[in-house]
Amino acid sequence: MQFRRLSAFALPVLAAATAVFAASAPAYPPHLTTSPDILAADLMARDQAISSDAFEGRGPGTRNGEAAAQWIADEMKRIGLKPGNHGSYFQEVPSVSIALDAAHSSLAFNTPTGAITPNFPEATVYWTPQYASADVEVKKSPLVFVGYGVVAPEYKWDDYAGLDVKGKTVVILINDPGNEERPGNPAFFKGRAMTYYGRWTYKYEEAARHGAAAAIIVHETGPAAYGWQVVRNSNSGNKLWLAEKDRNASRVPIQGWITLDTAHDLFKRANLDYDALKAAANRPGFKGVEMTGETLDVRAHSTFKLLNTRNVIGIVPGYKHPDQFVLYTAHWDHLGVKPDVAGPDKIYNGAIDNGMGVSSILEIGEAFAHAKPRPQRTVAIICWTLEEQGLLGSEYFSHHPLWPLNHIVGGVNLDGGLPHGHARDLVLIGNGASQMEDVLAGVLKTQNRVISPDPEPENGGFYRSDHISLSRVGVPMLDPAGSSDLIVGGTEAAKAIRDDYRKNHYHQPSDEFNASWDVTGVIDDLQALYTLGDTLANSDAWPNWYDGNEFRAIRDKSMSGKK
């Protein structure tokens, strides 16, 4: 999960679970005896199992991580889901693991007043996505500040205008223009709401299109929506990539981040004012700036290996339109084990991120598998791999779909749902995007609840999880995010507990199962989302993006070819 969850932990202790474990292999958590009904006890029991230490943080391609994928497939079979990929529960995702050997690697910024060698990983993280050779070097690469590193014709914006950055190192701000300083023009990007151009993955892609030798992003907690520890923990170990024929030669050779303190020092030594340039980068007409006298030297020594990892897919075949699909998705992977992390606990269990999402869609899947009659359209339950490494499992599926994209009605992606009690609303990240929201609003009305907008649109939550991979190819997707207004404690309680999770548990070893969680509000959400899918699966509706949405034209083109 790229953090943007909006629900909250609550204090009451969950009643004794009705789900019980059944006999299974001794090395991993046993499977469950569960009810076809959507129940808190079943949800909790699944989450406890999938976030067990036995799976060692569900690192993709590792023995115990892939055992977690197998556990999910076995659970799908047990609850009555059919294999979703021509008799298999798996879609192989060809990938490569690249591990920087920090002890035999180096990064230095050469400045007029001496070299800056920021500590790895406390002041910088860097890596190479290329794997044709064990060593990738960049020498004496001139630094250029390119603002937000955005080229957006629809906003008449080009941070690379007039610049030749081939072979150079681009230094880039996080998020997108207008995110913090808002000009009077409300059409200036999306104002407070982040656009896709704010995604860090986009910034590296754009730098590659301009021939940069290295791309370094400056971290700031506010516009990033997470602290440096998230950058450090997510990028200081093995990094996983889709395996490409060119061995990623088309990507920027060196990618990385630096802390804000490091950036201030770097700019000062070039006689530049970081804060003034950041303000300028938020105004139309900004021009990139050569950081005179400063160059970058990097040697990235890495080991790499091809790895086997998989998306896990189960279906409830539709009895009338089996070739039309309603999706429920969540990523099964997390950060694995990090031996070098401080403290005794090295396992990143990911009980919330995203054990809760996986458990939730399995709970929904079991309800559909036992529905009588079966839905008219096929309901697919998909657990993605490689989300934490750049949404790669869902990206692979979007480029290698198991079914034609214009046969997918729409979907719901669940990522990191925090436990919470009953609520007055359901927050929808990226609200105001598609006609699926109209259906959801009607369902919530039966619960005396409403859709609430993202209270932190500047964090760009809609672009931070797997639904965006399908959205980019036109498929309407919803991104529910719990509640921002709890029955007990209201908005203040929800915000305070959400902030605590982000600060103290997100991408930390402390993201562990807790038997005292109150998930009554999560169950309310799952029942609403089940009804949403049931409504779509038993209709002939084809919801689309709203007029003016960035993905509407893609969907229209896709659907125009539907027979």
Side-chain angles (χ1 to χ4, degrees):
M1 174 180 68
Q2 310 294 333
F3 182 79
R4 70 277 187 279
R5 298 300 87 190
L6 298 164
S7 50
F9 289 103
L11 299 178
V13 176
L14 181 71
T18 59
V20 296
F21 288 109
S24 184
Y28 298 108
H31 287 275
L32 319 171
T33 299
T34 51
S35 167
D37 296 327
I38 296 175
L39 300 176
D42 294 351
L43 178 73
M44 291 283 280
R46 284 197 176 96
D47 189 60
Q48 183 176 18
I50 201 64
S51 61
S52 163
D53 278 359
F55 292 128
E56 294 190 339
R58 303 189 302 279
T62 66
R63 181 174 69 91
N64 291 315
E66 295 304 319
Q70 183 64 58
W71 190 95
I72 293 168
D74 291 343
E75 182 71 355
M76 287 182 173
K77 181 177 181 180
R78 186 191 70 79
I79 65 178
L81 300 182
K82 304 299 182 183
N85 186 13
H86 306 288
S88 173
Y89 286 101
F90 299 111
Q91 180 189 36
E92 300 293 331
V93 180
S95 311
V96 60
S97 171
I98 305 177
L100 181 78
D101 181 353
H104 296 91
S105 301
S106 61
L107 179 147
F109 294 104
N110 306 302
T111 81
T113 56
I116 300 175
T117 56
N119 175 266
F120 179 98
E122 298 305 324
T124 186
V125 289
Y126 61 94
W127 60 88
T128 179
Q130 299 183 358
Y131 57 102
S133 170
D135 290 290
V136 173
E137 291 188 274
V138 171
K139 293 183 178 180
K140 293 183 172 54
S141 173
L143 269 59
V144 184
F145 175 60
V146 295
Y148 289 91
V150 168
V151 177
E154 66 272 33
Y155 295 112
K156 298 181 181 179
W157 193 277
D158 186 351
D159 283 327
Y160 287 91
L163 295 176
D164 179 1
V165 299
K166 291 180 180 177
K168 298 179 181 179
T169 295
V170 291
V171 179
I172 313 171
L173 299 172
I174 192 61
N175 216 304
D176 62 21
N179 180 261
E180 293 179 272
E181 295 190 24
R182 305 187 223 339
N185 181 3
F188 184 76
F189 279 67
K190 289 186 179 179
R192 184 176 170 224
M194 195 185 92
T195 69
Y196 180 68
Y197 298 111
R199 284 284 293 149
W200 53 270
T201 50
Y202 162 79
K203 296 174 187 295
Y204 295 135
E205 292 166 1
E206 195 61 61
R209 284 189 280 270
H210 286 81
I216 306 295
I217 297 174
V218 178
H219 173 265
E220 291 192 55
T221 298
Y226 41 77
W228 177 258
Q229 78 279 3
V230 174
V231 178
R232 178 193 63 210
N233 294 344
S234 300
N235 296 291
S236 58
N238 293 2
K239 291 189 69 66
L240 306 181
W241 307 83
L242 295 180
E244 303 290 354
K245 291 181 180 179
D246 68 352
R247 299 197 170 199
N248 288 341
S250 61
R251 296 182 182 269
V252 176
I254 297 293
Q255 303 177 0
W257 295 69
I258 56 175
T259 62
L260 181 59
D261 285 345
T262 302
H264 274 296
D265 189 14
L266 193 61
F267 278 66
K268 183 178 180 180
R269 291 178 183 227
N271 292 317
L272 297 172
D273 185 324
Y274 174 85
D275 294 325
L277 282 174
K278 179 180 176 181
N282 275 274
R283 296 289 186 266
F286 167 76
K287 302 295 183 184
V289 176
E290 301 276 353
M291 300 179 70
T292 306
E294 296 191 334
T295 61
L296 177 69
D297 286 340
V298 180
R299 177 178 181 244
H301 180 75
S302 306
T303 57
F304 55 87
K305 63 178 180 180
L306 297 176
L307 58 84
N308 296 315
T309 189
R310 305 163 289 180
N311 293 326
V312 191
I313 303 165
I315 61 172
V316 178
Y319 75 83
K320 185 176 181 180
H321 302 293
D323 62 341
Q324 299 176 9
F325 299 84
V326 176
L327 311 184
Y328 291 92
T329 74
H331 72 91
W332 65 256
D333 65 303
H334 198 53
L335 301 179
V337 179
K338 292 185 178 292
D340 297 332
V341 72
D345 190 355
K346 314 294 185 182
I347 299 176
Y348 288 69
N349 300 81
I352 299 302
D353 182 14
N354 191 29
M356 189 61 71
V358 170
S359 301
S360 294
I361 65 170
L362 288 173
E363 191 71 7
I364 289 173
E366 184 173 20
F368 273 110
H370 292 269
K372 294 183 180 179
R374 293 199 323 271
Q376 296 180 30
R377 289 165 157 169
T378 295
V379 174
I381 307 297
I382 306 178
C383 294
W384 310 114
T385 187
L386 294 171
E387 189 271 354
E388 300 289 8
Q389 296 291 343
L391 320 181
L392 300 181
S394 57
E395 178 185 342
Y396 185 82
F397 179 93
S398 73
H399 295 304
H400 304 87
L402 298 181
W403 320 294
L405 294 172
N406 58 14
H407 286 224
I408 300 177
V409 178
V412 174
N413 183 63
L414 297 178
D415 189 359
L418 294 173
H420 64 93
H422 296 299
R424 299 179 177 89
D425 65 341
L426 177 62
V427 168
L428 201 59
I429 304 298
N431 63 294
S434 85
Q435 296 163 356
M436 289 185 65
E437 297 173 37
D438 302 333
V439 183
L440 179 60
V443 173
L444 290 174
K445 188 174 182 180
T446 68
Q447 296 181 331
N448 294 316
R449 301 170 69 200
V450 296
I451 293 174
S452 284
D454 182 356
E456 298 177 325
E458 68 274 16
N459 294 347
F462 191 75
Y463 305 100
R464 295 180 185 269
S465 195
D466 288 300
H467 53 274
I468 192 61
S469 297
L470 288 160
S471 300
R472 290 178 67 187
V473 293
V475 177
M477 297 291 294
L478 293 182
D479 181 21
S483 171
S484 64
D485 187 7
L486 301 178
I487 297 296
V488 177
T491 58
E492 291 185 5
K495 182 180 185 304
I497 301 173
R498 175 184 79 241
D499 291 346
D500 175 69
Y501 175 75
R502 176 163 49 196
K503 179 179 178 181
N504 298 316
H505 305 290
Y506 173 57
H507 281 203
Q508 302 294 318
S510 59
D511 184 358
E512 296 184 308
F513 175 78
N514 187 333
S516 69
W517 285 336
D518 176 5
V519 295
T520 52
V522 178
I523 295 302
D524 292 341
D525 294 347
L526 297 187
Q527 289 170 342
L529 295 174
Y530 172 87
T531 303
L532 165 75
D534 186 61
T535 301
L536 291 174
N538 288 292
S539 76
D540 58 1
W542 289 91
N544 202 341
W545 302 96
Y546 291 139
D547 287 339
N549 183 273
E550 59 210 285
F551 306 118
R552 175 65 183 250
I554 300 171
R555 182 63 165 180
D556 287 346
K557 182 178 180 180
S558 174
M559 297 305 292
S560 69
K562 184 176 173 58
K563 295 181 179 179

